[in-house]
Amino acid sequence: MVNDATPSGAPGYPLVYRNLMAVGLLGAVYRARDDAATVSAAIELTLDDPTPFRVCRAIAQGIGGDAEYAATTLGEHVDAHPEDEGAKVALATAFLLARDERWKGILDEVLATSTDQNVRQAASGVLAHAAARESAPPN
């Protein structure tokens, strides 16, 4: 029998809650956007800080070809917190995955101005992924 509680004292969310998160994110990836939006909105309402989940959701929707969620949520976050370079890289990643050209300008700015080595490394990784996508034969 599956226990809905977290394993013996492990931090985190109950299994049923994590499953709801997975359903919302998978729905975004597989373009079941209405259902994914309903589940994800319910999850976000229960979180003390929904930002990490929103980043995951933006990336998942980017994989599913939708850049607008990232533009709205992460874009607003970046506008309100322009010093959050990690959010800028996440936004650029979601745009890249959705094949939205806005990713280039964001990464160019991060690489030109950031002094945070971890952020620069993440941005470079996104650029490497973009280069690999461009050189790969189409599916």
Side-chain angles (χ1 to χ4, degrees), residues 15-132:
L15 180 61
V16 68
Y17 196 77
R18 286 182 284 141
N19 287 342
L20 280 174
M21 289 178 171
V23 165
L25 296 175
L26 286 170
V29 169
Y30 291 107
R31 299 181 180 135
R33 291 189 179 115
D34 291 341
D35 294 335
T38 300
V39 171
S40 294
I43 290 167
E44 288 179 16
L45 289 172
T46 66
L47 298 172
D48 290 334
D49 179 12
T51 304
F53 183 76
R54 287 179 178 157
V55 169
C56 293
R57 184 176 171 194
I59 299 293
Q61 290 203 203
I63 292 168
D66 177 17
E68 291 316 305
Y69 178 80
T72 301
T73 57
L74 295 181
E76 287 176 3
H77 178 82
V78 166
D79 289 344
H81 306 281
E83 75 287 350
D84 190 346
E85 296 169 329
K88 291 176 185 178
V89 174
L91 178 59
T93 302
F95 283 158
L96 171 66
L97 293 170
R99 301 187 188 286
D100 185 309
E101 295 297 316
R102 291 179 280 183
W103 70 270
K104 292 178 185 176
I106 296 168
L107 281 188
D108 286 346
E109 185 237 328
V110 167
L111 288 170
T113 62
S114 179
T115 59
D116 183 322
Q117 188 59 33
N118 290 329
V119 168
R120 293 182 62 76
Q121 188 173 16
S124 295
V126 174
L127 281 177
H129 177 77

